[in-house]
Amino acid sequence: MKIFLGTEHHLHHPPFEILDGRRVAYFETPQRISIILNALVTAGFPSPIAVPPATLADLQTVHTADYLAYLAHAYERWQAAGLTAPVLPSAWPLPGLRLRSDCPQAAAGRYTFDLSAPIMEGTFAAACSAAGAALAGADALLQGERFAYALCRPPGHHAAANMAGGYCFLNNAALAADRLARSHTGGDTTWALRAPTVAVLDIDYHHGNGTQSIFYARNDVLTVSLHADPAYEYPYYLGYVDERGTGAGEGYNLNIPLPHGIDDAGYLATLDQALQAIADYGPRYLVVSAGFDTFHADPLGHFALTTAAYRSIGMAIARLHLPTLIVQEGGYAIDALGANVVALLTGVETYATP
Ligand code: SP5
Ligand code: ZN
């Protein structure tokens, strides 16, 4: 399995976040990546391939030009206004309010939906580096690889076309899925070949609200998310069962909210439903948003999965027999994160190896 690494992730290391009204150390740390890398090397996986960052042209397939300009310049504008880094909003232009100011504080509220996506000097470079890893993973599938793992940080699945939040700035999995969905194979330009379809399976503990919103009106990318019920868990406002897509995309978004405390057996049984929906759709490619905050000891999660579950999840995913890109999302139980990633990737390869 080829492993792609965004090498600039360490430039993003916010000092704190505001979690349920409390100021705490930022959970989404650079250490997460070094821990995963160490575990992969120890387990005998090949060395990661360092990839170039995504370009603005790459990012504009999914993100709006004004949002990308904001991300690229938010920090320098914040500093120029004499404000103390990092960039973090204090107010939001919620419905009924008017966005008429062009000061950096107003922009921060316009483009950030919560308090967990602070922008530092190197944040945009780090995010472009993660997006580059996901896109390199998509390219590997297009070149015939059966599996690839994109070691992305910061994560991406909460990022919408024009909004940062939930530790996410650029939607790495959506960029990869979009590239796969726009690819034409066969090389025959005389025929208008139908572009391939793609499924995104999101197994992070939190609902992938950004990915859902990006593909909500499209039927060429099926989005399926298993996550903590938003009735009690972040992101609260999206991730319910009745969100099924809109327009041409109606019926192409599937949300499976899960209760507190779900264990390996309960989770794996539900995963089978998600995989059956993907099999019924019959996509050409699969992108997995792989979060490990479903682990029983995760400080942000309330599920009860063990390390063994990730191996079973990997095997179940490989049973779809699809070219599959696994994109790193969340996972904050750092003592177990390396073992859990290794378990998932090993599961994938165990089933796939003849
Ligand atoms: C990529 C990813 O996993 N992002 C997650 C961002 C979650 N941020 C806010 C969570 C707030 C929920 N309260 C947690 C209580 C812990 N005891
Ligand atoms: Zn998460």
Side-chain angles (χ1 to χ4, degrees):
M1 152 141 22
K2 284 196 170 159
I3 299 172
F4 297 96
L5 173 67
T7 55
E8 305 306 298
H9 75 88
H10 60 280
L11 300 175
H12 178 64
H13 51 89
F16 69 89
E17 63 183 286
I18 307 291
L19 197 63
D20 297 335
R22 296 205 301 188
R23 179 185 164 130
V24 299
Y26 205 69
F27 277 101
E28 202 286 288
T29 58
Q31 192 196 1
R32 297 176 59 243
I33 296 299
S34 34
I35 279 177
I36 293 171
L37 284 173
N38 276 334
L40 289 173
V41 168
T42 306
F45 281 88
S47 299
I49 301 162
V51 298
T55 66
L56 223 46
D58 292 331
L59 302 175
Q60 281 185 11
T61 56
V62 159
H63 294 284
T64 64
D66 61 311
Y67 174 59
L68 295 170
Y70 165 75
L71 285 183
H73 301 295
Y75 182 81
E76 67 197 44
R77 290 188 59 208
W78 196 263
Q79 289 251 301
L83 300 166
T84 306
V87 177
L88 206 56
S90 315
W92 285 267
L94 294 178
L97 304 182
R98 290 159 75 189
L99 182 62
R100 300 206 294 177
S101 165
D102 59 6
C103 74
Q105 295 97 319
R110 162 70 186 83
Y111 292 113
T112 314
F113 65 79
D114 68 12
L115 290 172
S116 49
I119 295 177
M120 312 173 60
E121 185 166 17
T123 296
F124 188 57
C128 288
S129 160
L135 287 167
D139 287 339
L141 298 192
L142 292 174
Q143 288 153 17
E145 288 292 325
R146 175 75 208 282
F147 295 110
Y149 172 54
L151 191 33
C152 297
R153 182 184 171 272
H157 76 145
H158 295 302
N162 61 357
M163 208 87 79
Y167 310 148
C168 304
F169 301 87
L170 298 171
N171 197 315
N172 308 311
L175 286 159
D178 182 78
R179 175 164 293 185
L180 293 167
R182 288 176 200 262
S183 68
H184 287 260
T185 50
D188 187 343
T189 50
T190 62
W191 291 90
L193 294 173
R194 229 177 111 231
T197 55
V198 179
V200 180
L201 172 65
D202 192 321
I203 56 170
D204 188 275
Y205 172 77
H206 304 96
H207 175 243
N209 59 295
T211 311
Q212 168 172 312
S213 70
I214 285 165
F215 297 116
Y216 208 57
R218 285 171 62 169
N219 61 9
D220 60 334
V221 179
L222 172 74
T223 44
V224 178
S225 182
L226 265 71
H227 49 265
D229 192 336
Y232 72 80
E233 186 56 88
Y234 179 93
Y236 308 114
Y237 309 110
L238 224 44
Y240 296 85
V241 280
D242 59 359
E243 296 157 13
R244 306 200 63 245
T246 189
E250 190 166 355
Y252 297 92
N253 185 79
L254 176 61
N255 284 330
I256 308 182
L258 301 169
H260 260 171
I262 192 164
D263 64 5
D264 290 0
Y267 190 91
L268 290 166
T270 319
L271 179 67
D272 278 343
Q273 294 172 33
L275 296 175
Q276 187 57 54
I278 291 169
D280 292 346
Y281 179 64
R284 180 99 56 93
Y285 299 102
L286 176 66
V287 175
V288 180
S289 264
F292 298 84
D293 33 12
T294 47
F295 188 61
H296 66 88
D298 195 279
L300 291 183
H302 295 102
F303 287 176
L305 299 207
T306 67
T307 298
Y310 297 105
R311 192 162 181 277
S312 303
I313 292 169
M315 292 173 73
I317 287 169
R319 253 176 245 132
L320 286 172
H321 295 292
L322 291 169
T324 299
L325 170 64
I326 297 160
V327 177
Q328 180 64 43
E329 301 283 1
Y332 313 99
I334 51 166
D335 292 343
L337 183 58
N340 290 342
V341 171
V342 165
L344 183 82
L345 300 185
T346 304
V348 162
E349 289 199 324
T350 302
Y351 194 83
T353 306

